[in-house]
Amino acid sequence: MNILFEDKYLLLCEKAVGENSQFSTDGVSKNLPEKLIEYRKSKGEDGYIGLVHRLDVVTGGVMLYSKDKSLTGKLSELVADKEYKKTYLAVVSGRSECECGEMKDLLFHDKQKNKTYVVSKDRRGVKPAALEYKTLQTVILPSGEMASLVEIQLLTGRTHQIRAQFGGRKMPLLGDGKYGSREKDCTCALWSYKANFKHPRTNQSVSVTSIPPSVFPWNLFDALK
């Protein structure tokens, strides 16, 4: 495990791609909270781990957990109120016409299909979604197609939001077949890159960074070297 920050109240660590950020119920899936419980107990601590937010199984990077039951609710409020600032990196197919900008959409999440759709009209279950993006670098893939490294700030927190909004613009994340990618040589190229927030107990600023692994397609970009 890669612990990025820890004190007696909370910890931030790096979640691996394919690892469950929540307690899994199938008894099989890789489970980061249980690993953290074992980690705390190995240090002679009580082993409590409180869930504050989640990442998709296909997404890796920074995760925040509570070590103090009295603080878990406050940390959840920080996330809900967007005071816990998260920056993502993604590798998308093609390149946006604008180097930076904002995406605004109406999204509908189909729970049965576990897929989010960009829709044109408001109706029951539809929620507004917004994000800001900046293109950091564009490269040519071995296939001859373009791909871009994009930095993303979420302004709302919808299920599969980044994947759905870029996929809806014909720029699916590489390896994300659910949202239109035809790339077979990688998993969904989305990474929780940075987290910034004010510590609710100490009032100190906390900032951590997690670099994506040096594998395809992340290893194609000089901006990450």
Side-chain angles (χ1 to χ4, degrees), residues 4 17 19 46 48 64 72 80 90 103 105 116 132 142 145 147 162 165 167 174 187-188 203:
L4 305 172
V17 172
E19 193 169 47
D46 62 17
Y48 172 78
L64 169 66
T72 302
M103 293 183 180
D105 293 291
T116 298
E132 295 176 341
E145 298 181 357
I162 294 171
Q165 288 194 272
L174 259 62
T187 57
C188 179
N203 287 323

Side-chain angles (χ1 to χ4, degrees), residues 70 128 135 161 167 188 209:
S70 68
T135 301
Q161 179 178 333
C188 179
T209 300

Side-chain angles (χ1 to χ4, degrees), residues 12-125:
L12 293 113
C13 62
E14 184 178 281
K15 185 184 92 65
V17 172
E19 193 169 47
N20 202 322
S21 65
Q22 304 177 89
F23 291 99
S24 55
T25 57
D26 59 13
V28 177
S29 302
K30 293 182 179 179
N31 185 320
L32 181 55
E34 289 183 356
K35 289 182 180 179
L36 292 172
I37 288 172
E38 293 176 1
Y39 163 73
R40 291 203 63 201
K41 288 182 176 179
S42 73
K43 299 198 302 176
E45 299 176 356
D46 62 17
Y48 172 78
I49 288 293
L51 303 180
V52 176
H53 68 104
R54 63 180 295 275
L55 283 178
D56 292 342
V57 172
V58 298
T59 306
V62 180
M63 280 290 306
L64 169 66
Y65 292 96
S66 171
K67 293 173 59 177
D68 184 334
K69 290 182 180 179
S70 68
L71 192 64
T72 302
K74 180 61 178 177
L75 289 172
S76 297
E77 289 176 10
L78 284 179
V79 175
D81 294 341
K82 305 299 181 295
E83 294 178 35
Y84 177 69
K85 306 293 186 182
K86 292 185 288 184
T87 302
Y88 290 85
L89 292 176
V91 181
V92 304
S93 301
R95 181 183 176 89
S96 175
E97 292 182 2
C98 299
E99 184 174 320
C100 59
E102 185 172 287
M103 293 183 180
K104 291 185 176 180
D105 293 291
L106 295 173
L107 299 183
F108 174 77
H109 182 68
D110 187 322
K111 293 183 179 179
Q112 289 187 331
K113 296 181 179 179
N114 191 28
K115 185 174 181 179
T116 298
Y117 298 86
V118 176
V119 297
S120 58
K121 294 182 180 180
D122 194 7
R123 66 176 191 271
R124 185 176 181 180

